[in-house]
Amino acid sequence: LAGRNGSGKTTFLRIVAGLTKPDGGIVRVNGREVDGLPLEKRGVVMVTPESSIPSLQVDAHLLWGARLKGAEIGEERLGALKEMLGIDFGGRVGKLSLGMRERVSLGTALLSSPAAILVDEAFSNLHEREEFVSSYRRLAADSGIDVVFSTQDEADGRLAQHLYVI
């Protein structure tokens, strides 16, 4: 989704995530109506630049969403994800730069295996963004996860499979 500031990108993502009630219409995720479902039953994760949990260590953060769902993630899978996303740092998430915190939040979303990941401007603070987005999309597709991301820069459409301008 591309559009200028205030065009409704975040509102749209919040409606799909269940964080904002729409004025009308039906919200479907992978053909399943999710209106009225609690957040945890919608099969959607929303990532924003503020999504990280500052007190957690990097690996604990990455595993957090999967553990909430009762899923076990092996060391091999965790290591492969970290390598693909360029997460080669440790320590408390709150001590990391914004871009590094976003990488961790995006990795956490992938490991929680939702039907869809909604990324609200969280790609915009990353170094080597094109390479990261390409790796992220590939990892998500391999796991059967749809990714919808918003940006103010319509040129970022080259990073997406489809571009919708609001």
Side-chain angles (χ1 to χ4, degrees), residues 10-158:
T10 297
T11 299
F12 175 79
L13 294 177
R14 288 181 57 84
I15 288 170
V16 174
L19 300 170
T20 298
K21 185 175 166 82
D23 294 335
I26 297 170
V27 178
R28 289 188 178 99
V29 175
N30 288 341
R32 182 177 75 120
E33 194 171 318
V34 297
D35 290 10
L37 289 179
L39 297 177
E40 67 276 7
K41 302 258 187 222
R42 290 175 87 91
V44 175
V45 172
M46 185 163 170
V47 179
T48 70
E50 297 84 30
S51 290
S52 65
I53 304 168
S55 61
L56 292 181
Q57 298 288 324
V58 169
D59 284 1
H61 194 296
L62 288 165
L63 297 171
W64 180 78
R67 288 199 173 134
L68 281 179
K69 293 175 87 174
E72 286 295 320
I73 305 295
E75 290 294 320
E76 187 175 317
R77 182 170 176 209
L78 179 63
L81 175 99
K82 287 170 66 175
E83 184 177 332
M84 287 281 294
L85 298 183
I87 300 172
D88 57 357
F89 39 83
R92 292 205 182 280
V93 174
K95 298 207 180 268
L96 301 175
S97 71
L98 179 58
M100 290 180 180
R101 288 193 310 261
E102 289 174 0
R103 284 176 187 264
V104 172
S105 293
L106 289 160
T108 301
L110 272 175
L111 289 176
S112 71
S113 300
I117 299 172
L118 311 175
V119 183
D120 190 21
E121 301 282 347
F123 289 141
S124 37
N125 296 303
L126 300 175
H127 295 291
E128 301 164 355
R129 187 167 47 149
E130 281 191 47
E131 180 182 326
F132 181 87
V133 172
S134 176
S135 294
Y136 196 78
R137 285 187 53 220
R138 188 171 42 256
L139 285 167
D142 289 350
S143 298
I145 300 169
D146 292 321
V147 177
V148 178
F149 71 94
S150 69
T151 179
Q152 292 182 34
D153 187 355
E154 199 172 319
D156 283 345
R158 71 187 183 290

